[in-house]
Amino acid sequence: MPGSIINGFSKLSKQEKIAVLAGQLGDATLGNELQSYNHPVSQERFNGFSENTLANFYLPYGVAPNFLINGEIFHVPMVVEESSVVAAASAAAKFWANHGGFHAEVISTLKTGQVHFTFSGNGDLLRKHWPTLKEYLLSNARLHTSNMEKRGGGIINICLEDGTADITNYFRLNVSFKTVDSMGANFINSVLENMAESLQEYCLIHFTNQDECNVIMAILSNYTPDCIVKCWVEAPVSAFSGMDESISPYRFVEKFETAVKIAETDIYRAVTHNKGIMNGIDAVVLASGNDFRAVEAGIHAYASRSGKYKSLSKISTSNNVFLFSFEAPLNIGVVGGLTSSHPLAARTMQLLGSPDAKQLMMIVAAVGLANHFSAIRALITKGIQKGHMKMHLANILNQLNASEAEIKETKLYFAAKHVSFSGVREFLEQFRK
Ligand code: MEV
């Protein structure tokens, strides 16, 4: 229902905000419903995570157990609303725990930030000044980087890039950072904003009005192609016997290989194929209190790095060995932000044995690969709807408040039938009569 403009909404108290919205909605039950989703102890903390908080939006916090990753077992928390994602991760974890587990490696951990600016003078003049300007920027930044340096991070490099071929007078500073165990967004953005000021100062001191420098913006980049984790599983083809009764292990591996190759050539398939990886990645990223939007943006950009959006995963089946891998940028941390302040994110870290950022990258990648493996396995054998429909039926029964006996009967009845909300409701109505 469209409403009318509410002036000064953010200045109202929570109760007032709810009252105004309920008034526009013409539904007095809104307040009680929202109130019922408030936390009895930690609501103040949740309110503080965002603005205009009215309640909490619940999502399931589940666990996919028995992930063998680099020789260690992890029971991995996942926050996801899509039924069967946790089940799919768990099934793959179980299978691979019996076949050597997941192997993972962090290839690199550099992040990038940028100061975008225009310089109306001669580019050669700017380039001539670059060595002294760079030193000036670095020494001014030290105030903000010294703590991070003590922890082993800081600024790794700064480059001046000339963008005048694309936009008149446009230049940028590309700054690479190491942020150790934090995702580093606040650190990077603070350093960059300070650097932008230093850049302006330097230009005022050293250049004339004709060589004016104007900062457009200073911000980290969510494209992190130098913050990469790689994950893989491998097993002899014979390991896939019994994977599905309708198919031999050789045929299974052959179809699997073709499925991955299709995602290297066809963008419609590639996006969905990669979404199967993101099912696992997002769920663990969210459970750990990390920024899943940043991860999503970075990973999809990485999938397009060749100029064409492609599969993130690769497969090889030479010498009868199935080797399935993927690599992707994962800019996540284990300290700072929600990772420390959300009570369940803290529990996630505890359940994962207090990993450092690199270990968390490897765990997240393993769950991504697990979900991806399960998705392709289902797609090339029985399809995904059977598993989905089971969960769908359970959800419908839940919504219709079915009793234990009703659940049992309905599941039996729909075992080999198409599941729809109306079908289940009709069946229950008959059964209840
Ligand atoms: C559904 O959430 C994910 C899949 O579509 C992934 C895929 O198609 O590979 C099953």
Side-chain angles (χ1 to χ4, degrees):
M1 184 209 78
S4 53
I5 293 281
I6 307 169
N7 289 316
F9 187 75
S10 68
K11 295 193 182 66
L12 300 178
S13 70
K14 192 195 255 195
Q15 259 51 43
E16 287 167 339
K17 284 175 186 142
I18 294 173
V20 171
L21 291 171
Q24 290 212 358
L25 204 60
D27 184 347
T29 64
L30 179 69
N32 279 346
E33 169 131 38
L34 292 179
Q35 178 62 33
S36 72
Y37 291 101
N38 276 342
H39 193 276
V41 182
S42 306
Q43 193 53 44
E44 277 306 308
R45 192 186 306 196
F46 293 122
N47 288 348
F49 291 154
S50 178
E51 301 80 24
N52 297 341
T53 305
L54 303 181
N56 306 307
F57 186 98
Y58 284 29
L59 285 176
Y61 180 84
V63 164
N66 305 322
F67 265 86
L68 179 62
I69 306 169
N70 292 344
E72 284 187 277
I73 292 288
F74 295 88
H75 309 304
V76 188
M78 300 176 79
V79 172
V80 61
E81 88 301 344
E82 185 178 333
S83 50
S84 79
V85 167
V86 175
S90 308
K94 187 171 172 197
F95 175 82
W96 285 107
N98 291 322
H99 295 92
F102 293 83
H103 310 276
E105 191 185 335
V106 172
I107 312 274
S108 52
T109 57
L110 283 187
K111 293 138 199 210
T112 300
Q114 299 176 306
V115 179
H116 303 270
F117 64 101
T118 54
F119 181 73
S120 53
N122 182 340
D124 287 340
L125 181 65
L126 192 59
R127 271 185 287 278
K128 204 172 125 218
H129 273 262
W130 177 237
T132 24
L133 170 57
K134 181 174 169 180
E135 274 319 303
Y136 183 79
L137 297 176
L138 281 173
S139 82
N140 280 3
R142 213 142 279 144
L143 186 70
H144 296 264
T145 57
S146 57
N147 276 342
M148 186 60 89
E149 279 163 17
K150 282 184 206 137
R151 285 158 43 199
I155 295 176
I156 305 304
N157 198 14
I158 317 185
C159 306
L160 171 68
E161 292 189 348
D162 184 336
T164 51
D166 298 318
I167 299 171
T168 313
N169 298 338
Y170 166 54
F171 291 84
R172 69 188 155 250
L173 302 177
N174 260 15
V175 191
S176 51
F177 294 89
K178 274 200 173 171
T179 59
V180 202
D181 276 333
S182 63
M183 187 253 191
N186 280 333
F187 164 72
I188 294 176
N189 287 332
S190 302
V191 171
L192 291 171
E193 286 188 5
N194 166 268
M195 201 170 266
E197 278 173 25
S198 300
L199 172 68
Q200 300 263 41
E201 271 162 28
Y202 184 95
C203 293
L204 275 178
I205 298 166
H206 292 91
F207 303 135
T208 65
N209 279 353
Q210 286 133 310
D211 309 316
E212 205 181 38
C213 166
N214 263 311
V215 170
I216 307 294
M217 58 191 161
I219 183 73
L220 63 71
S221 171
N222 289 125
Y223 187 48
T224 55
D226 296 313
C227 184
I228 298 288
V229 61
K230 180 175 176 183
C231 184
W232 68 99
V233 285
E234 58 186 315
V237 172
S238 57
F240 301 99
S241 63
M243 188 52 79
D244 189 277
E245 55 286 355
S246 66
I247 198 170
S248 76
Y250 291 92
R251 183 73 186 122
F252 175 84
V253 166
E254 198 176 58
K255 280 183 92 175
F256 205 108
E257 189 171 16
T258 309
V260 177
K261 289 198 170 137
I262 291 169
E264 276 164 24
T265 61
D266 175 54
I267 185 169
Y268 283 88
R269 177 55 204 151
V271 173
T272 320
H273 176 92
N274 289 343
K275 193 269 185 180
I277 303 178
M278 300 317 297
N279 275 343
I281 288 185
D282 279 347
V284 188
V285 167
L286 205 50
S288 67
N290 272 287
D291 182 343
F292 60 93
R293 288 91 54 215
V295 167
E296 280 275 350
I299 290 185
H300 291 295
Y302 189 73
S304 323
R305 67 195 180 286
S306 65
K308 178 178 170 183
Y309 188 97
K310 282 185 184 173
S311 162
L312 288 162
S313 60
K314 288 199 166 27
I315 185 158
S316 101
T317 55
S318 54
N319 301 324
N320 277 340
V321 174
F322 171 94
L323 172 61
F324 185 41
S325 67
F326 88 102
E327 60 168 56
L330 261 187
N331 182 11
I332 52 177
V334 294
V335 293
L338 275 204
T339 58
S340 321
S341 57
H342 194 295
L344 283 183
R347 284 290 180 194
T348 295
M349 297 303 175
Q350 186 190 23
L351 281 160
L352 295 177
S354 305
D356 62 20
K358 285 185 180 174
Q359 286 163 333
L360 186 63
M361 285 167 80
M362 294 190 275
I363 294 167
V364 169
V367 181
L369 191 62
N371 272 106
H372 190 37
F373 175 79
S374 279
I376 297 180
R377 170 190 176 173
L379 289 170
I380 62 169
T381 55
K382 58 186 183 319
I384 60 160
Q385 282 312 92
K386 248 193 187 151
H388 274 199
M389 280 304 144
K390 249 193 186 163
M391 298 298 290
H392 186 45
L393 178 57
N395 281 335
I396 295 173
L397 287 168
N398 192 2
Q399 280 178 51
L400 295 172
N401 296 320
S403 68
E404 290 273 316
E406 288 166 352
I407 291 174
K408 202 167 153 211
E409 272 313 303
T410 319
K411 281 189 174 166
L412 217 61
Y413 180 79
F414 280 97
K417 292 193 175 62
H418 173 71
V419 177
S420 70
F421 189 88
S422 55
V424 175
R425 192 178 46 204
E426 267 164 38
F427 175 80
L428 269 183
E429 276 166 9
Q430 288 303 322
F431 185 77
R432 282 169 179 166
K433 271 181 200 159

